[in-house]
Amino acid sequence: MSIKILAIESSCDDTSAAVIIDDNICSNVVSTQEIHEKYGGVVPEAASRQHQISILPVIKAALDKAEISKKELDAIAFTRGPGLLGSLIVGVSFAKSMAMSLNIPIIEVHHMKAHVLAHFIEKPAPQLPFLCLTVSGGHTQIVKVNEDLSMDILGKTLDDAAGEAFDKTGKMIGLPYPAGPHIDKAAKLGEAKFDFPEPKVPGLDFSFSGLKTAILYFLRDRMKEDPQFIVNNINDICASVQSRIISILMNKLKKAAKQSGISEISIAGGVSANSGLRDELTKAGKELGWNTYIPKFEYCTDNAAMIAMAAHFKYQKGEFAGQDITPAARLPF
């Protein structure tokens, strides 16, 4: 008998619902909030209010697209954390209430682990064990996925995430939020001719706060000399910033692969949609003999399909949550 699970993702500013039947994603509906663009970043209160508006129509659309009714569901999964607490409350509360009304179990999912497990949505999937560079607006980490699908963090950011470096740079040079896609597009038209520093962080950990400061001071000094510097050099600035962020990420990933002896290498998270990072991973794979795995764009950013896939594995193990479960803005990996 097929197992049908509804999954809900509401960790930040995207409301998403998906339906998985066994291990097949049958729908993945995402409603993106545009209200935050004018503020240059996500406003938590506005995000949670928009989730309340969007969650019911998004879930209905996911069920309709999968061509099943809510009465056919065997479980409901949701993102417990990490994320914005107000946003998480909306998704968790809805999932618990809906599951209670249907008398079916609930499954809590760790947002960052779901990003990694998104690699099992489509074939071929990485062979176990594999490494995953998980890069988003709030997290940057290298994860080892073991034979039993348990995960160990080999390296993580000590301060800011790579996604924050993209967004803060975008704000400095006047690009809309989220800035990552705009920087990626402009970088293709520019040349990486400005040499920004690469942080000297031991081991496999990352740091991006110093890079952000270096970019700020660079722009400040150049603007004193030429008030039109950013306007006249925006493509080269974007290319230079993107090149440095990617080199930081790839150098650590290469080091992790060498130390672990693992050649199954993947990327995940919102920043894994960056074309420069995708190209560099593919290039490194050919040079170093890696088998590389890059998710489709729709499974890189926050989406419920990855929550559904994580829930699929947890359902198989009988890992259900109780109605006393609460959301967590910070959640141990």
Side-chain angles (χ1 to χ4, degrees):
M1 182 178 176
S2 295
I3 303 300
K4 304 176 180 66
I5 303 173
L6 169 69
I8 299 170
E9 154 61 19
S10 67
S11 65
C12 191
D13 60 336
D14 288 334
T15 312
S16 183
V19 172
I20 186 170
I21 300 179
D22 293 329
D23 63 350
N24 180 44
I25 298 294
C26 299
S27 65
N28 183 39
V29 179
V30 181
S31 176
T32 300
Q33 301 177 10
E34 299 179 355
I35 187 174
H36 309 285
E37 291 182 10
K38 62 181 178 180
Y39 300 110
V42 177
V43 180
E45 179 64 23
S48 60
R49 289 181 182 274
Q50 190 59 49
H51 281 303
Q52 293 178 48
I53 296 171
S54 303
I55 192 165
L56 189 57
V58 165
I59 288 174
K60 184 179 185 305
L63 291 171
D64 289 346
K65 188 173 182 180
E67 298 183 340
I68 69 169
S69 70
K70 60 184 180 182
K71 293 182 179 179
E72 296 178 76
L73 294 173
D74 295 291
I76 298 178
F78 56 88
T79 302
R80 183 189 177 196
L84 300 176
L85 187 57
S87 295
L88 291 166
I89 286 173
V90 176
V92 174
S93 299
F94 196 100
K96 289 166 63 176
S97 300
M98 186 175 180
M100 183 178 288
S101 70
L102 296 171
N103 195 30
I104 57 176
I106 53 176
I107 303 171
E108 59 148 323
V109 173
H110 191 292
H111 181 81
M112 295 310 297
K113 290 185 177 181
H115 271 303
V116 177
L117 295 175
H119 283 287
F120 292 93
I121 294 175
E122 294 189 317
K123 303 294 187 293
Q127 297 295 307
L128 298 170
F130 70 92
L131 297 183
C132 185
L133 172 65
T134 312
V135 200
S136 67
H139 297 82
T140 301
Q141 56 192 29
I142 298 175
V143 177
K144 179 188 175 187
V145 185
N146 302 305
E147 295 287 354
D148 60 353
L149 285 180
S150 64
M151 302 182 197
D152 298 316
I153 295 179
L154 304 183
K156 63 183 184 301
T157 183
L158 302 176
D159 40 58
D160 300 324
E164 290 177 279
F166 275 115
D167 287 334
K168 294 295 175 58
T169 297
K171 193 169 185 178
M172 293 179 206
I173 61 179
L175 294 178
Y177 174 86
H182 298 285
I183 291 177
D184 191 11
K185 183 177 180 180
K188 295 176 182 178
L189 304 174
E191 178 185 350
K193 64 182 184 180
F194 303 121
D195 188 21
F196 295 110
E198 180 163 349
K200 303 301 180 183
V201 182
L204 298 176
D205 289 332
F206 300 89
S207 172
F208 291 95
S209 62
L211 175 63
K212 290 194 312 180
T213 302
I215 295 168
L216 176 64
Y217 289 164
F218 169 82
L219 295 174
R220 182 196 64 184
D221 295 343
R222 291 302 181 96
M223 289 292 285
K224 287 180 180 178
E225 300 171 3
D226 176 12
Q228 296 300 308
F229 177 77
I230 291 178
V231 174
N232 294 333
N233 296 274
I234 191 164
N235 293 334
D236 291 339
I237 293 170
C238 289
S240 301
V241 170
Q242 177 163 294
S243 175
R244 177 52 71 209
I245 292 174
I246 291 173
S247 74
I248 293 170
L249 296 171
M250 288 303 302
N251 286 341
K252 293 290 186 177
L253 183 58
K254 290 176 183 177
K255 188 175 182 179
K258 184 176 181 179
Q259 289 182 359
S260 66
I262 295 173
S263 59
E264 297 282 307
I265 312 293
S266 65
I267 56 175
V271 179
S272 67
N274 180 276
S275 65
L277 179 58
R278 297 164 85 92
D279 290 345
E280 284 300 313
L281 179 68
T282 301
K283 179 182 175 182
K286 292 177 180 178
E287 292 176 350
L288 300 172
W290 294 348
N291 294 321
T292 57
Y293 303 87
I294 304 174
K296 280 187 176 180
F297 286 108
E298 63 189 283
Y299 302 134
C300 291
T301 53
D302 293 347
N303 67 93
M306 67 182 193
I307 306 301
M309 182 53 65
H312 162 72
F313 291 119
K314 297 193 80 170
Y315 189 100
Q316 289 182 318
K317 296 178 180 179
E319 296 180 1
F320 303 114
Q323 279 287 332
D324 59 344
I325 195 76
T326 57
R330 296 181 181 275
L331 193 63
F333 192 79

